[in-house]
Amino acid sequence: MTSFIKVGKFYELYHMDAVIGVQELGLAFMRGDFAHSGFPEIAFGRYSESLVQKGYKVGRVEQTETPQMMDARCKQMATPTRHDKVVRREICSIVTKGTRTPSFSEGVESESDSAFLLAIKEKAGDTANESIYGVCFIDTSIGQFHLGQFDDDRQSSRLRTLLAHYPPAHLLYERHNLSPRTMQILKRMLGCCLQDALSPSESCDLS
């Protein structure tokens, strides 16, 4: 994941993230003892969308307190360390093809095709080699989701049909929940290696 870290009115990238910013976004390295690049906050939408389209995940790290709040916090400590004397920041969002929400205010044009985020769960059916699937498709660009459950045959015909009609851009599934047969279907139809573990679930960006 590439992190855009808010510093005043800018987003800044450090170390390997800075290298990605220079190579993929055309940013320039800033002066300093380590790799460092950045851009004005108004350009967040344009730069994050560019990286997402290239297959990256983008973390948006925002300041959760002002310098004045930091000073007040440190004054309440007996012996504040140099780590305490830093404005607190937190990851406020992670943007992928399946979770991005295009905004005209950030200068991002929405695509004509929907980019679905698919969450899937599987359990054994009543007979051997049959499965019951629970699925949720979410299109975050328009705030629409579809939730459902269905029984499937040993060829997983209904799952295959669903994936053919609504190919997801991002997939979430519970760790060790999917059967080998279902994993094979997902790999074959979506062209995805299904890695990048995010405990307690697995996450795969299908870009």
Side-chain angles (χ1 to χ4, degrees):
M1 182 178 71
T2 303
S3 297
F4 290 179
I5 301 174
K6 189 69 171 293
V7 180
K9 294 293 184 179
F10 288 80
Y11 283 100
E12 300 190 0
L13 297 82
Y14 299 93
H15 304 296
M16 292 306 299
D17 289 343
V19 175
I20 292 174
V22 170
Q23 294 178 344
E24 302 287 1
L25 302 175
L27 302 177
F29 284 119
M30 298 180 180
R31 293 182 179 179
D33 298 329
F34 51 85
H36 177 204
S37 61
F39 55 87
E41 62 179 353
I42 194 172
F44 174 85
R46 176 161 54 92
Y47 283 128
S48 63
E49 178 70 7
S50 179
L51 281 189
V52 166
Q53 290 299 328
K54 293 175 185 290
Y56 291 89
K57 296 177 183 179
V58 176
R60 187 172 190 166
V61 182
E62 296 287 351
Q63 296 180 185
T64 55
E65 66 178 1
T66 64
Q68 293 75 21
M69 293 168 65
M70 177 199 67
D71 290 337
R73 172 170 53 81
C74 290
K75 287 178 180 178
Q76 296 177 355
M77 298 179 179
T79 54
T81 67
R82 63 186 181 90
H83 299 293
D84 294 319
K85 297 178 181 180
V86 177
V87 173
R88 286 177 174 169
R89 293 175 173 84
E90 295 180 9
I91 296 178
C92 295
S93 65
I94 297 177
V95 186
T96 69
K97 275 196 172 184
T99 61
R100 74 194 195 284
T101 52
S103 169
F104 290 106
S105 64
E106 293 181 335
V108 179
E109 297 181 1
S110 59
E111 296 180 339
S112 57
D113 295 330
S114 295
F116 290 101
L117 167 66
L118 166 63
I120 182 170
K121 185 174 178 63
E122 177 186 10
K123 69 177 183 178
D126 296 332
T127 59
N129 297 322
E130 294 186 353
S131 296
I132 301 174
Y133 293 105
V135 297
C136 181
F137 275 93
I138 304 173
D139 185 349
T140 57
S141 64
I142 57 175
Q144 185 178 68
F145 72 93
H146 307 273
L147 182 67
Q149 174 181 311
F150 55 87
D151 298 336
D152 215 341
D153 57 30
R154 65 182 60 190
Q155 285 79 35
S156 297
S157 303
R158 297 186 68 183
L159 176 63
R160 293 172 187 269
T161 301
L162 186 67
L163 294 174
H165 281 89
Y166 302 98
H170 199 145
L171 177 69
L172 294 175
Y173 59 96
E174 186 178 354
R175 187 185 298 275
H176 307 309
N177 170 257
L178 300 182
S179 66
R181 182 183 73 253
T182 298
M183 294 288 287
Q184 200 64 28
I185 291 172
L186 293 172
K187 290 178 183 179
R188 186 178 300 115
M189 294 193 66
L190 304 178
C192 177
C193 58
L194 300 181
Q195 56 186 6
D196 296 336
L198 292 180
S199 180
S201 299
E202 299 280 343
S203 170
C204 187
D205 193 344
L206 305 175
S207 54

